[in-house]
Amino acid sequence: MLANAFVTNPLHLSAFGAGRMDQSRLFFRIGLRHMFIGQAYIALVDGAVGGYVHFNAAPDCLPLPEEIPLAAATVLKPLGEAIPNIIRWFSRWCHLDPAEPHVHLGPIGVDPRRQRQGIGSALMARYIEHLDQEKAAGYLETDLPENVEFYKKFGFVVKHEEEIIGTPTWTMWRPSGG
Ligand SMILES: CC(C)(COP(=O)(O)OP(=O)(O)OC[C@H]1O[C@@H](n2cnc3c(N)ncnc32)[C@H](O)[C@@H]1OP(=O)(O)O)[C@@H](O)C(=O)NCCC(=O)NCCS
């Protein structure tokens, strides 16, 4: 489901090439197994997974930049020729990760057949509820201008904009207390 949701996103296109469902699927399989520690929720639609959200508190949200090459040589190894781009991509995200305490969002994805039906907003509401309960700040990265608008609806503001592996990306921040 996550691979379906993300396969046409610009960072996936840059890292894996067009239509590389195999690579996107492998990327999320590795992520689900090794990287997405923290809280995760799924949206069930007629008994099937229609959406997924994951969030995790800093400082355990991303590896340290110096840990990326080891990850590339071990858990990410099956991704083969995409590894140099993945190293460039995640090294930047790790460097940009704020030093201030925060709860990091990502990934969030909705089955393409189910998008624009409120599922993403429902998953975001669960995350925002957690931020408010914990009086925590929120942080995320994205690679689509329409997603920037989506996140603004939940109180996020753009913190930084940068081209990574040839695609514009944005980091966004939501102060504690919204
Ligand atoms: C981003 C995503 C999670 C949003 O989930 P969703 O279920 O489609 O979102 P919702 O139906 O709750 O949308 C709520 C509002 O956000 C805005 N929005 C969401 N997706 C949008 C899009 N692709 N283009 C323009 N506006 C969009 C709209 O204002 C929408 O309200 P509307 O449909 O009444 O106009 C989903 O589109 C997705 O999985 N995208 C691909 C993967 C991805 O980019 N994930 C986020 C990575 S940072």
Side-chain angles (χ1 to χ4, degrees), residues 118-170:
I119 295 172
S121 296
L123 293 168
M124 281 299 289
R126 180 67 199 89
Y127 169 57
I128 299 295
E129 187 183 68
H130 177 80
L131 293 182
D132 290 345
Q133 270 167 5
E134 301 294 318
K135 296 186 176 33
Y139 177 77
L140 61 87
E141 308 92 351
T142 193
D143 59 350
L144 282 171
E146 52 266 43
N147 289 354
V148 170
E149 298 309 310
F150 173 71
Y151 294 125
K152 281 182 184 170
K153 288 174 193 261
F154 299 94
F156 280 86
V157 293
V158 172
K159 185 175 169 70
H160 178 77
E161 186 174 348
E162 177 177 321
E163 199 169 288
I164 297 178
I165 56 167
T167 184
T169 66
W170 296 263

Side-chain angles (χ1 to χ4, degrees), residues 68-104:
I68 301 276
L70 178 64
T74 53
V75 293
L76 295 172
K77 206 172 173 191
L79 288 161
E81 63 198 19
I83 288 176
N85 275 335
I86 292 173
I87 292 177
R88 279 194 281 275
W89 165 6
F90 278 91
S91 297
R92 284 311 298 152
W93 278 9
C94 292
H95 276 287
L96 291 169
D97 197 54
E100 303 96 305
H102 62 274
V103 179
H104 201 131

Side-chain angles (χ1 to χ4, degrees), residues 56-71:
N56 196 21
D60 302 321
C61 49
L62 284 176
L64 295 169
E66 54 271 27
E67 290 170 356
I68 301 276
L70 178 64

Side-chain angles (χ1 to χ4, degrees), residues 3-106:
N4 261 323
F6 279 86
V7 70
T8 57
N9 274 54
L11 278 171
H12 279 241
L13 291 175
S14 293
F16 306 128
R20 292 301 303 268
M21 265 302 286
D22 56 334
Q23 286 281 76
S24 276
R25 197 176 282 134
L26 196 50
F27 174 77
F28 283 114
R29 287 225 166 100
I30 295 167
L32 286 165
R33 203 162 295 150
H34 298 283
M35 288 144 73
F36 302 171
I37 48 170
Q39 296 198 43
Y41 295 86
I42 55 168
L44 283 177
V45 186
D46 300 330
V49 177
Y52 173 94
V53 66
H54 168 261
F55 49 86
N56 196 21
D60 302 321
C61 49
L62 284 176
L64 295 169
E66 54 271 27
E67 290 170 356
I68 301 276
L70 178 64
T74 53
V75 293
L76 295 172
K77 206 172 173 191
L79 288 161
E81 63 198 19
I83 288 176
N85 275 335
I86 292 173
I87 292 177
R88 279 194 281 275
W89 165 6
F90 278 91
S91 297
R92 284 311 298 152
W93 278 9
C94 292
H95 276 287
L96 291 169
D97 197 54
E100 303 96 305
H102 62 274
V103 179
H104 201 131
L105 177 75

